[in-house]
Amino acid sequence: MSEQDTRTAKIIVTLIAAFAMLMGVLYAVRHLPVASNVHQSFTRAHVYSSLSEMFDDSDLVIQGTVLSQHSTFDIDETTPFTIAEVSVTKVHKGTPSSAERIAVRQTGSSEGSLPLHIGDHYVLFLTESGLSGDKAKQYYITGATAGAYQLRQGQWRQNDESHSTGSADYHRIDMDSGDDLPSDISVRDLEQFKK
């Protein structure tokens, strides 16, 4: 085999290897988990492998009801956020910025699919916004949507005992987030993480 043929063969092998690597990357990106019911315009740096890990990573863990929501472009002119006003029913971790009501930032507008809905009751794992001014008192859902568990319909009324005893089941709203978290939790599950 001539020197010219050897160089040509090396170039062909290199091109085939590069093409195979590119196809592998494209396949991996295409098969990353994406929530089908939630608008997402962000990436996540961390995926949770347990409920206790997400609990530890959260600044605040509460039970609460969404009272209202409004959309805003308060960071830039292209990214809509929806601010949910949440009435805090019970605190499992941390100290909320207000004892009765907190603001939770969601990426997206109220016209799209959002994790939280007015009138629904949730267990929320929350992270401080890290923003300045009045926005510093707001929270994001830990893990984008991973930290939102919605009360199953019909399981809680304002004076229902299951709310205080912890027998009510909360269902994870985004099962396709890529996290290894339970699909259902109860208030009792949260009590085990308190230190």
Side-chain angles (χ1 to χ4, degrees), residues 12-162:
I12 291 172
V13 168
T14 303
L15 288 174
I16 291 171
F19 179 76
M21 284 180 26
L22 176 62
M23 296 310 295
V25 168
L26 291 175
Y27 179 84
V29 168
R30 180 176 168 87
H31 290 88
L32 286 173
V34 175
S36 59
N37 62 339
V38 178
H39 169 73
Q40 295 184 1
S41 61
F42 46 83
T43 59
R44 289 185 50 200
H46 186 79
V47 176
Y48 292 98
S49 60
S50 70
L51 195 63
S52 64
E53 181 185 13
M54 188 166 64
F55 187 92
D56 290 344
D57 212 24
S58 299
D59 297 311
L60 184 66
V61 179
I62 61 138
Q63 284 172 260
T65 304
V66 177
L67 300 176
S68 65
Q69 297 193 116
H70 70 277
S71 295
T72 183
F73 289 86
D74 62 353
I75 293 182
D76 61 41
E77 295 177 6
T78 59
T79 309
F81 288 93
T82 298
I83 312 302
E85 181 184 12
V86 178
S87 171
V88 177
T89 312
K90 185 171 183 177
V91 177
H92 296 279
K93 179 185 178 184
T95 304
S97 55
S98 165
E100 296 176 4
R101 294 182 180 175
I102 60 168
V104 178
R105 295 181 70 84
Q106 304 166 84
T107 304
S109 67
S110 55
E111 291 83 37
S113 276
L114 293 170
L116 306 181
H117 303 283
I118 296 172
D120 288 347
H121 193 75
Y122 297 90
V123 166
L124 297 173
F125 295 77
L126 301 168
T127 304
E128 293 173 352
S129 72
L131 300 170
S132 60
D134 288 340
K135 294 186 281 289
K137 297 177 183 176
Q138 298 174 349
Y139 298 89
Y140 285 106
I141 298 171
T142 302
T145 56
Y149 282 79
Q150 183 178 22
L151 186 68
R152 289 188 182 275
Q153 283 213 310
Q155 287 204 348
W156 181 76
R157 294 181 303 278
Q158 192 65 34
N159 297 314
D160 190 344
E161 281 190 32
S162 68

